[in-house]
Structure formats: structure tokens, C-alpha cells
Amino acid sequence: MSEIETLFGVLRQSVDEDVVDLIERMVREAPDHALSKINPLHLAGEASLDEEEVIGALLRAVGLGILEMTWSVMCPSCAGVLSANKSLKTVNSAQYHCAFCAAGYETTLDNLVEVTFTVSPRVRKIAAHNADELSLAEYYRQVFWSSAIDLPTDVDALMRELTLEAVDLPPGERAILSLQIRAGMLILFDPVTHTAQFIEVKGEETSERQNLALIFNKADVPVDAVTLRPGALRLTLENRTDTRVLPAVWVADGRLDAVLTRRRPSLTAKRLLTNQTFRDLYRTETLAIGQRLKILSLTFLFSDLKDSTGLYEHVGDLVAFDLVNEHFRLLQEIIAAERGAVVKTIGDAVMATFETPDRAIAAAIRMREAMSELGAQRQQQGLLLKMGIHEGSCLAVTLNGQQDYFGQTVNIASRVQGLAASRSIVVTEQVVENAETRNLLEAGGLVPTRRSVALSGIAERVSVYEIP
């Protein structure tokens, strides 16, 4: 039996057969470019498979050495990769700058960091494992652009359509290009060093040859802009790095905009942090001690068993222990099924996160029903959950040796849970104002009741809603 067969045999022990078949078929048969920056959401959609199952399978394949995982900081405007990282621990800049777009972005995990997967060279060697082997077009597809951009199959034709000239320039060499430029905006850009020069072409056409020079090195220089007239241009490019560069002169018009705005869903770091399989596998290895990464919007659910002390007194330690453990199992199963993850348990309480408020609401409704069914099965009608949900910004951090969250949003969610009576789900205004949440509640015939409350540590009164 080959090593590949052995590895996929192990993967089949914990992953759905159809998903494993898909990954194995890709590893064996797919073209090289399809095995670089694998986008799990696009992959699941193309194969009509469950997204969470595909994400979980790819994560387990990483653990077996079949795949490698990359955390890419990407520009939300052009979808270019600004920084590729093997671990979230090295995403440590407060802001990233895109030379191609001449724009800076605050580092957040919502839409700035995507996670992709690449086949391991241990299993199959592809050209992307050595970027110097890639053509200019393939370098843009497999290295520079993120998996979020929906590129056409023929990237070479795309480059010919959108660029005036492009060159593969070895280290230490210089190239001189002669161009005829027309009125409009041009971008001279190298995806290796992320060096850019904006060229605005306007005015009367000139019969004199114009000259422009650009030096590529590893120094971080601000993006410059020059104004030229339509006509002949002598462009001198010099590579002072120890690797090749791939400068191209892009025509910045509607055709380029049309390409850059064609997007497909991709796996964000925020979503991956709310994936239960990821937390199970990487809960202690995600962030460095002291590292803090901002999330603009995350939904927190806190639950607690009502009167658990009385339960222990009523049925005894052994029966109560079994009930509490079964309650934890059911809750984690439901939370994972609704694309959430359990962050931690505190006594009989659970803290969970969800990418969006509607997922948390769906989980809470299912959790409430599951506890009622469990109580009926075990003849414990008092087995009830108190739940609170809040959505807002927070920091992803490491606390007590595992990936956790910090901030006022977490505090409010915890305190809102304390307002819940038996079987009630108490949520904040941010949660019920979510459009998908409203649709979910209306479909279930659930009408929230509003009240204004004071929460400890919060200066102003807070509007909360009780879901019956």
C-alpha cells in the first residue's frame, strides 16, 4: 500500500466518504493550479457537499500531512494577497497596505484574512511549491490573487487583454520596454516585491519619447504617481533583488474592474475560528501569547443549566453528572451543526461563538428543545437552559493557554444570559435587528418581547428581547 493510500485510509476513519473521495481524486488527478490555494467553500459548492464537512475534512488532512494550511491577508479591493502566513501567529501588523490599490486596511479577521489549503509536497509536488517555476500568469493566479477572486480558466488570455506589456526579469538584470500609451490610467506593478507606479496619461499626444524608470528592491517605498502624455514611452525596469520579479503594465479601466469584482465566497479566519473541528484540533496553537486580533462582528451565546445545584441534591451526584455530560454533548453537537464552536465550559455553563446572529438563534432554539426532550426522557422536567446572545466587535486572544475572546461584547453576552428565566432566550437589539434573524423568528412564529435593563458595568440602559 502506498503512503497516499495509507493517509487517505486514516482520513476515512473520521471523515465522510464522499468528501474523502473528492479530496483524494483532486490530489491524484487535478491540475497543479487546482491544488494551490484550495478554497473549501467553492469546493463544497461545486461538489454539492456540506461546507462544514469539507472544512473539517481539509483540517484533518492538514493534521495528517496531506495538505498545508495558509492564512492569507488579502486586499478587499483587488483580492491580492498582501501577506501569506503558515500560522495566524505571524499575522501581527495592525495595518496592511496594498500597492496595487494604493490603499491601507486595518487588520481584522472578518474579511481581511482568508484560509486556503495546498497539497503537501510530501504527497504531490506542484509548481506552486517553487514559485520561480510559475509563468507570470500562473504566478498571479496561484500566488498573488486570493481564492476569493473568480478568475477565468484562461489566465494567459486575461493577462494579454488587461496588460500592455509584461516581463519576467531575473535578479540583477534590467529591461527596456518601448510602449505606445493612450489616455487613461496605467498601473505598473510587480506582484513579487509589491512595487507599484501609477501612471496617469492625459493631455495632447506628444511626438517626443518620454522616459520612466522603476527600480525593484525589497525596500518598502510609498506608491508614487506620475503624469505622462499619450505617445511613445521608454520604460526602464531594473531588478535589484535576489529573486526574479514579474512587472506588468496594467490598463486600469472597466475591464480590470470587472475582473477584480468577480468574487466567490472564501473561508475567512473569523469563520474558521468558529468551526468546532478547528477548535478541537488547534485550540492551543492558534495565537501567540499577547497577540490580539480584531473581529468587527462575532456573535456570542452563553447558556447555563437552571438550578443545577438543586439537580445534584435531587437526583444525586452520579445521575446528575451523567445528565450534565449528556447536556454538554447535545449542546456541542447542535452548536457545531449550526456552524458555531464551543469556546469553553464554566461549571455547567457554555460559551459559544457564531459567525452570524441567526446561526446563534437557530442553535439556541434547537438547544432549548433538546433539553426539553432530554428532561422528558430522563424524567427530569426541571432540566432547563437559560441562554443569552449578543453580537459585536471583540478581540481574538489567548487566555489560559487556549484561543479565547476578550472585550465588552463578551461581557454583555454573559450578563444578558443572567437575565434569562427558565426556557427563555434573551438577546440584544443587535441580534434581533439582523435581517436573517428576523426571517428565522418570523418563520417560527416567535415574537420577541422588548424591555430595557441596566447591566453591571454598562453606563447606559440596554434594550433586550426575550424569545418565548
Side-chain angles (χ1 to χ4, degrees):
M1 182 179 291
S2 69
E3 183 180 22
I4 291 181
E5 290 173 330
T6 301
L7 291 172
F8 279 103
V10 175
L11 187 60
R12 280 187 168 82
Q13 295 175 14
S14 57
V15 174
D16 180 81
E17 185 79 17
D18 290 340
V19 181
V20 180
D21 287 344
L22 173 64
I23 298 172
E24 183 173 13
R25 191 163 56 249
M26 287 182 61
V27 168
R28 292 183 183 276
E29 302 172 6
D32 278 12
H33 69 80
L35 297 174
S36 173
K37 290 186 182 172
I38 297 169
N39 178 331
L41 305 191
H42 179 68
L43 182 63
E46 290 287 290
S48 300
L49 293 170
D50 180 76
E51 289 180 355
E52 293 301 292
E53 288 187 0
V54 171
I55 294 169
L58 295 175
L59 289 169
R60 294 187 185 282
V62 171
L64 292 171
I66 298 171
L67 302 175
E68 296 176 343
M69 183 163 53
T70 301
W71 305 74
S72 297
V73 180
M74 67 174 187
C75 172
S77 179
C78 71
V81 172
L82 310 180
S83 172
N85 305 269
K86 292 302 179 185
S87 167
L88 193 55
K89 292 179 180 180
T90 54
V91 179
N92 48 24
S93 294
Q95 190 173 56
Y96 285 85
H97 187 267
C98 177
F100 193 85
C101 298
Y105 303 95
E106 180 187 19
T107 305
T108 67
L109 301 183
D110 300 74
N111 61 359
L112 204 72
V113 181
E114 75 160 12
V115 183
T116 56
F117 300 83
T118 302
V119 67
S120 168
R122 168 188 175 187
V123 173
R124 173 177 161 183
K125 291 187 178 180
I126 59 174
H129 291 143
N130 182 357
D132 285 341
E133 294 181 7
L134 295 171
S135 67
L136 183 142
E138 287 302 323
Y139 189 95
Y140 269 96
R141 170 156 61 180
Q142 298 186 48
V143 178
F144 177 69
W145 272 316
S146 79
S147 74
I149 191 164
D150 188 10
L151 293 170
T153 304
D154 192 344
V155 181
D156 287 290
L158 175 70
M159 295 294 292
R160 290 193 297 270
E161 179 186 356
L162 299 179
T163 64
L164 288 181
E165 189 63 87
V167 61
D168 188 328
L169 193 58
E173 293 197 10
R174 180 168 25 159
I176 299 175
L177 308 178
S178 295
L179 306 174
Q180 285 291 324
I181 57 176
R182 295 184 295 180
M185 182 64 71
L186 303 176
I187 306 173
L188 172 55
F189 179 71
D190 167 48
V192 181
T193 60
H194 288 243
T195 302
Q197 172 80 67
F198 284 79
I199 306 168
E200 185 178 11
V201 185
K202 64 180 182 178
E204 294 293 324
E205 184 171 348
T206 179
S207 59
E208 297 180 2
R209 187 177 65 189
Q210 303 167 99
N211 293 283
L212 181 64
L214 188 62
I215 296 172
F216 302 101
N217 52 42
K218 294 187 177 179
D220 188 13
V221 295
V223 177
D224 195 11
V226 297
T227 301
L228 298 175
R229 293 165 63 183
L233 171 63
R234 185 175 187 259
L235 182 60
T236 303
L237 307 173
E238 185 176 353
N239 182 5
R240 293 185 183 175
T241 74
D242 56 3
T243 186
R244 69 168 182 166
V245 295
L246 301 167
V249 181
W250 293 81
V251 181
D253 60 15
R255 294 173 299 171
L256 178 59
D257 292 339
V259 170
L260 299 183
T261 53
R262 285 178 52 189
R263 300 297 173 88
R264 57 176 54 145
S266 62
L267 178 61
T268 64
K270 180 179 91 167
R271 176 164 176 182
L272 188 58
L273 293 184
T274 64
N275 176 275
Q276 190 64 55
T277 301
F278 176 79
R279 286 201 65 89
D280 291 343
L281 296 176
Y282 298 97
R283 68 172 65 242
T284 62
E285 304 172 11
T286 305
L287 299 172
I289 301 297
Q291 186 180 14
R292 299 170 298 174
L293 291 172
K294 188 173 183 179
I295 297 176
L296 297 176
S297 171
L298 194 65
T299 303
F300 291 87
L301 181 153
F302 280 81
S303 74
D304 196 11
L305 275 175
K306 178 180 181 294
D307 192 23
S308 58
T309 302
L311 175 67
Y312 278 82
E313 291 181 354
H314 178 63
V315 301
D317 289 348
L318 288 176
V319 174
F321 180 78
D322 179 58
L323 276 170
V324 170
N325 274 351
E326 180 64 7
H327 135 271
F328 280 135
R329 186 193 68 78
L330 286 170
L331 263 54
Q332 179 162 319
E333 184 179 281
I334 292 168
I335 289 166
E338 294 296 341
R339 281 178 27 189
V342 174
V343 178
K344 57 188 173 185
T345 58
I346 311 157
D348 300 326
V350 168
M351 170 185 173
T353 56
F354 297 82
E355 188 181 15
T356 55
D358 60 300
R359 293 285 181 175
I361 291 288
I365 294 170
R366 290 180 59 187
M367 288 159 62
R368 180 165 64 182
E369 295 307 313
M371 286 305 98
S372 295
E373 292 175 7
L374 179 62
Q377 291 170 7
R378 303 293 181 89
Q379 298 182 339
Q380 298 296 329
Q381 300 300 327
L383 198 63
L384 302 172
L385 277 184
K386 301 184 296 179
M387 289 179 279
I389 302 172
H390 179 51
E391 176 269 335
S393 63
C394 64
L395 296 175
V397 298
T398 292
L399 291 175
N400 300 318
Q402 67 177 8
Q403 194 266 309
D404 206 331
Y405 300 92
F406 178 84
Q408 190 73 304
T409 297
V410 183
N411 297 333
I412 291 175
S414 176
R415 292 185 173 107
V416 166
Q417 184 274 321
L419 300 173
S422 59
R423 275 188 61 84
S424 67
I425 304 168
V426 178
V427 306
T428 58
E429 195 165 28
Q430 291 91 326
V431 174
V432 295
E433 285 183 346
N434 176 269
E436 294 301 320
T437 296
R438 288 199 300 270
N439 293 338
L440 181 67
L441 294 176
E442 289 174 5
L446 299 172
V447 181
T449 303
R450 179 186 176 278
R451 57 186 165 122
S452 179
V453 298
L455 297 179
S456 174
I458 309 299
E460 298 181 356
R461 293 181 70 84
V462 175
S463 292
V464 299
Y465 294 77
E466 186 168 332
I467 300 173

